Structure formats: C-alpha cells, structure tokens
Amino acid sequence: MISVTDEIYQSYIDIYGKSWVRPHLGASQLGLSCDRALWLGLHHAAIPLSSTNGRMLRLFQSGNVQEPRIIEDLKNIGVTILTIQSHFVEPDCPIISGSCDGIAIGFSEYPNEKVLLEFKTSNTKSFKSLKEKGIKIEKPIHYIQMNVYMHWAKLNIGLYVVVCKETDEIYTEWVKYDADVAVSALSRAKHIVNSNDIPPLFIGKHGSSENSKECMFCDYKGLCYHKNIPLVNCRTCLHCEYADGRFKCNLYPLQFDDTCIQTDCDYHVFNPYILPWDIVDIDVENEFIVWKSPYGGIYDSSILKSIDFEQVYQKEQADYQKLIQL
Ligand code: SF4
Ligand code: SF4
C-alpha cells in the first residue's frame, strides 16, 4: 500500500510535474554556462529529472512559500511594495521573458529609488559561502537574472534576499544595475533562440566531459553523452521552426502544439540535431531520415513512428546486454 508520504510526493508530480514545459526562455536560466543546455531546454528535448521527483518539486515550492513572508518583512520595516511578480518580455525577441518577485520603494538606504526585489532560498553550505563571497561570485546565475530584470524594468538597483532553509537566517545584498551584464546575456540568449543548429558540447577547464561540474547534473547528459532518444513533441520535430518570434510547424500548423510533452502527430520526424545518432540516409523530398542507433539498429522514419523508437531501442539494448553476458 502506498504511504502518505509517497501519496503527497505523487501529488506534487501530478500538480507541478509538467511546469517545466515553458514556451519561453526564462531570465532565470540565462546565466547557465552551457549554450547547448539552453537550446535543448528551449526545444523541450528531455524531461528534467527533478520533475519526476515529488520531494524535489516540494522543495522548489518551499522557495515560493517564503515570498509572501519576505514581502511582509519588508512592509514591517516601512517599505512600500509597488508590484509583485512583474512580468517582462524582451521586445525584439518575445520568447525571452521572465517575472521578478517585485518592485518596492522606501528603503532607508535608497529612500526615493524604485528597487527590484528578488527572493531565493538556500541550503546552509551555499548560504555560508554567499555571505563570504556575495552574489556575483557565489550565485552568478542570480546576478545575471537580476541585471536582466533591472534592464527590462529600467531600474538602477535591486535587493537580493536569501533565506537559509535550515536556520531561517536572512542575507540581503544590494545589486547595482550593470548594463553590460544584461545586454550581453540577452544578446547571447537571442543568438541561441535564433539558431537552428544545436550549440556544441560545453567545454570546461578540462575539455568536454559528462563528469564536469556543468554536465554532471544536467538534464541533457543522456542526450549529449549517452545517445538517448529525445522526447517526441513538436519542438523536437524536423518540421518545427523558430521564426518571427515563435515556434511553428511548416507542415501541419493546425496540429502544432507548442506545450505538449508527447505528441501523437503521425508526421513527427526527429530533428537530426536533437537525436544524436548516425544518419545513413535522408530523403529531403519525401522528408524521411534513416538512422543507425548506437547498437547498429536501423530506424527508418518512413516506416517507424518516432513514438515507437524508444520501445524498439530498449529491446535493442536488452538484446545487446544478453549478448555480452553470454
Ligand atoms: S550535458 Fe553538458 S554539454 Fe550537454 S547540455 Fe548539459 S551542460 Fe551542455
Ligand atoms: S509535423 Fe506534427 S509533430 Fe511535427 S511540428 Fe508539425 S504538428 Fe508538430
């Protein structure tokens, strides 16, 4: 029988498990070091591991629970909250967008200045390091995110508030707007959004490795290093294209569903940049591709539907395992 704990975790998966399927590229991601991870995320290529883990999803919600409390804390020190959850869109590339936690006025250090608010939670180890090194060194992703929000909101100063999850200690830091940081993050993001080609593997200090800091916990490690099959949805399809500020289908626009995790469209063909297998034949006119799997199997998209690739591939893997055990 399922325990109450497991039931609760399952409810988080049911409620929040699909929240990663965002149509947009969020400002909170722009500080990620790997262009390829941003591109694969935008193309909904794999299910993030955390979205199938109820405990992790609950942990993310714990961060949101802190937000109204911090707002109350600020009101209690005389600050006026002007907006909560202000939403912004990059004007010439609307697929890039984001929402800051709020905008406020009336801080004693900056009495007449409107201030951007960004709230986070942290574990004790990271909190200690943040206190020693500050946001720019310890949390560059948050630093870039705040600068992009300040750029959009035309604000010169932001307040970063972090709560330690174990002790409830609060850390606050003023973040001054740096136009270079915001503009270069946005121009990099636009380049990634507009690229039809997948960016290269991340190259760290010791080259490319699935054990590098960036790749170790990346949701796309299976695609980049283990030739896993991507999700079957419109954004992983060969017929999907980004143009004029949005993704669209060049073949069946009425069937296009930009937010589904798994499509039942019969015309899905994997984008060859996203399915990392060898291609043995391409028929451009009839729009089919013949792939060779890492185990040598032949997958012809004119015969086998994308949705069935995974099952055939699993059998191939199982047969291979049996063979090497003989
Ligand atoms: S596994 Fe590494 S190279 Fe691949 S997307 Fe993730 S960070 Fe980038
Ligand atoms: S062909 Fe089907 S799966 Fe592919 S983008 Fe169009 S609607 Fe989506």
Side-chain angles (χ1 to χ4, degrees):
M1 193 164 166
I2 185 166
S3 71
V4 174
T5 306
D6 288 340
E7 258 188 288
I8 292 173
Y9 288 158
Q10 185 57 48
S11 74
Y12 275 86
I13 296 172
D14 296 342
I15 298 167
Y16 301 107
K18 290 181 184 158
S19 56
W20 64 272
V21 194
R22 298 171 168 179
H24 65 281
L25 178 56
S28 60
Q29 300 163 281
L30 300 189
L32 283 179
S33 340
C34 177
D35 290 1
R36 188 180 178 98
L38 290 176
W39 192 91
L40 286 168
L42 192 63
H43 286 78
H44 300 164
I47 296 182
L49 288 177
S50 57
S51 70
T52 56
N53 181 328
R55 187 189 64 78
M56 287 298 291
L57 289 166
R58 191 171 187 281
L59 189 66
F60 295 151
Q61 289 309 311
S62 300
N64 295 341
V65 167
Q66 283 290 344
E67 288 172 15
R69 200 170 167 210
I70 301 170
I71 291 284
E72 281 312 304
D73 291 341
L74 294 176
K75 284 182 183 168
N76 289 342
I77 60 164
V79 168
T80 302
I81 306 297
L82 299 173
T83 61
I84 292 174
Q85 289 289 328
S86 304
H87 185 69
F88 306 102
V89 169
E90 176 63 4
D92 62 351
C93 189
I95 205 160
I96 303 170
S97 62
S99 301
C100 73
D101 287 327
I103 296 174
I105 196 163
F107 289 92
S108 42
E109 287 98 324
Y110 299 96
N112 301 315
E113 192 107 33
K114 285 186 188 171
V115 171
L116 178 105
L117 304 174
E118 191 57 36
F119 310 143
K120 304 286 184 199
T121 54
S122 164
N123 61 30
T124 306
K125 187 172 169 233
S126 171
F127 190 81
K128 188 167 172 279
S129 191
L130 179 65
K131 281 176 32 181
E132 282 164 15
K133 299 176 190 159
I135 182 174
K136 201 168 170 178
I137 306 284
E138 181 59 22
K139 295 286 177 191
I141 292 181
H142 297 167
Y143 181 69
I144 291 169
Q145 179 186 7
M146 286 186 72
N147 270 290
V148 169
Y149 289 152
M150 284 190 273
H151 179 79
W152 280 333
K154 299 190 172 34
L155 298 177
N156 292 315
I157 189 93
L159 181 70
Y160 181 57
V161 183
V162 182
V163 178
C164 177
K165 282 181 277 197
E166 282 111 62
T167 63
D168 230 9
E169 188 179 349
I170 296 172
Y171 172 81
T172 59
E173 180 175 340
W174 294 109
V175 178
K176 293 203 170 131
Y177 172 57
D178 184 330
D180 290 345
V181 170
V183 170
S184 79
L186 285 166
S187 91
R188 171 187 176 229
K190 283 180 220 175
H191 180 73
I192 292 167
V193 165
N194 286 299
S195 170
N196 282 321
D197 297 359
I198 191 167
L201 291 175
F202 183 81
I203 301 173
K205 272 188 206 152
H206 309 290
S208 296
S209 161
E210 67 172 306
N211 297 320
S212 68
K213 200 167 117 239
E214 285 71 20
C215 301
M216 195 178 293
F217 300 110
C218 176
D219 293 321
Y220 311 107
K221 190 165 89 167
L223 296 179
C224 292
Y225 287 101
H226 298 281
K227 296 188 181 280
N228 285 3
I229 295 175
L231 293 174
V232 181
N233 57 48
C234 284
R235 288 207 186 176
T236 61
C237 177
L238 180 64
H239 306 300
C240 177
E241 187 188 59
Y242 181 79
D244 306 324
R246 64 188 178 91
F247 283 96
K248 56 187 176 185
C249 175
N250 288 327
L251 203 59
Y252 296 100
L254 294 180
Q255 237 172 295
F256 186 67
D257 181 351
D258 207 16
T259 55
C260 75
I261 297 175
Q262 182 173 295
T263 180
D264 55 6
C265 172
D266 288 343
Y267 305 99
H268 183 282
V269 177
F270 283 113
N271 177 332
Y273 285 116
I274 303 179
L275 180 60
W277 291 358
D278 293 340
I279 293 175
V280 289
D281 193 13
I282 294 190
D283 184 326
V284 177
E285 200 177 317
N286 296 306
E287 296 188 318
F288 74 81
I289 298 178
V290 183
W291 317 83
K292 187 173 175 189
S293 83
Y295 297 98
I298 298 299
Y299 293 66
D300 182 339
S301 71
S302 67
I303 298 169
L304 188 67
K305 284 169 66 173
S306 296
I307 201 75
D308 296 325
F309 273 40
E310 184 69 52
Q311 201 185 355
V312 177
Y313 188 48
Q314 277 180 15
K315 180 161 184 324
E316 227 196 321
Q317 282 175 307
D319 289 348
Y320 175 79
Q321 290 302 331
K322 273 188 217 153
L323 199 68
I324 59 171
Q325 279 164 14
L326 284 178

